[in-house]
């Protein structure tokens, strides 16, 4: 709810990051950045999972999350450091393409499904099955054609996992 401000939902992940950056800056003002920054950054690490260069983005976020602790060990403060929102957006812009940033997670998911179906040579949505499910269905059909009740049908009938086989 904090991200969406109740009036309109973000249209893409760049908007999500921008809004989250404002929230992250406010949280760092309230709490000690040495203790809280890693928790704040963790929330946006999986936003680009499955996208090209997402691992580089996560590595950059991990480095950003460690800055306050490193500076604290060196006896320095965050004075002169850019705000967390700027660091997060810079990491996204430097490691991810503009196309990826402007896509919604739903768009990315649909695109990934389309690519998988295209590689498999499947044109309809329902035609994709895992090999385990296809094998199980073939076994059931063979048992049915022999007149035997398979383990699945026996379980449905209340006979446990016993079949009619002698």
């Amino acid at each position: 709810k904090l991200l969406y401000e109740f009036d309109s939902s973000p249209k893409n992940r760049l908007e999500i990051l921008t809004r989250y950056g404002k929230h992250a800056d406010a949280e760092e003002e309230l709490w000690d950045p040495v203790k809280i920054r890693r928790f704040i950054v963790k929330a946006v690490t999986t936003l680009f999972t499955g996208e090209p260069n997402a691992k580089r983005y996560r590595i950059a976020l991990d480095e950003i999350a460690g800055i306050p602790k490193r500076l604290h060990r060196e006896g320095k403060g965050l004075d002169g450091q850019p705000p967390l929102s700027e660091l997060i957006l810079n990491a996204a812009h430097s490691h991810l393409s503009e196309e990826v940033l402007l896509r919604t997670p739903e768009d990315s998911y649909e695109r990934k499904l389309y690519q998988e179906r295209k590689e498999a040579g499947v044109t309809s949505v329902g035609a994709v099955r895992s090999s385990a499910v296809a094998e199980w269905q073939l076994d059931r059909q063979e048992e049915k054609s022999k007149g035997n009740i398979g383990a699945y049908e026996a379980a449905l009938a209340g006979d446990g996992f016993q079949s009619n086989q002698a």
Side-chain angles (χ1 to χ4, degrees):
K1 292 181 179 181
L2 286 174
L3 293 177
Y4 302 123
E5 299 176 8
F6 304 111
D7 57 351
S8 66
S9 61
K11 293 168 185 46
N12 57 51
R13 289 184 269 195
L14 183 59
E15 287 183 28
I16 292 172
L17 276 181
T18 303
R19 290 183 186 187
Y20 187 76
K22 291 176 188 175
H23 169 71
D25 290 342
E27 288 292 320
E28 275 203 339
E29 286 181 23
L30 288 174
W31 306 100
D32 181 14
V34 174
K35 295 179 181 178
I36 196 156
R37 182 170 288 186
R38 195 161 295 279
F39 295 113
I40 293 171
V41 170
K42 186 176 182 179
V44 290
T45 56
T46 60
L47 188 58
F48 297 98
T49 300
E51 297 291 352
N53 296 323
K55 186 174 183 178
R56 289 181 183 167
Y57 166 74
R58 288 192 308 270
I59 291 169
L61 287 181
D62 188 54
E63 291 170 4
I64 291 167
I67 290 173
K69 200 173 260 188
R70 180 177 47 83
L71 290 174
H72 181 70
R73 276 189 306 233
E74 295 172 0
K76 300 176 184 174
L78 287 176
D79 301 330
Q81 293 288 320
L84 180 56
S85 58
E86 187 178 325
L87 294 171
I88 291 172
L89 287 171
N90 286 343
H93 281 291
S94 63
H95 297 290
L96 302 164
S97 70
E98 200 69 25
E99 178 188 358
V100 169
L101 288 170
L102 296 176
R103 259 192 256 148
T104 65
E106 292 82 14
D107 292 341
S108 293
Y109 178 72
E110 291 296 325
R111 184 181 177 115
K112 180 80 172 162
L113 282 179
Y114 174 76
Q115 288 173 347
E116 287 176 359
R117 288 186 195 118
K118 187 176 177 182
E119 289 172 6
V122 178
T123 55
S124 67
V125 175
V128 179
R129 287 193 189 131
S130 73
S131 59
V133 170
E135 186 177 318
W136 174 71
Q137 289 175 336
L138 285 173
D139 289 345
R140 283 186 55 212
Q141 288 174 356
E142 286 176 16
E143 289 294 321
K144 201 173 190 179
S145 67
K146 292 178 185 175
N148 296 330
I149 297 176
Y152 178 74
E153 286 80 9
L156 288 177
D159 297 335
F161 286 99
Q162 301 171 358
S163 63
N164 282 355
Q165 300 171 344

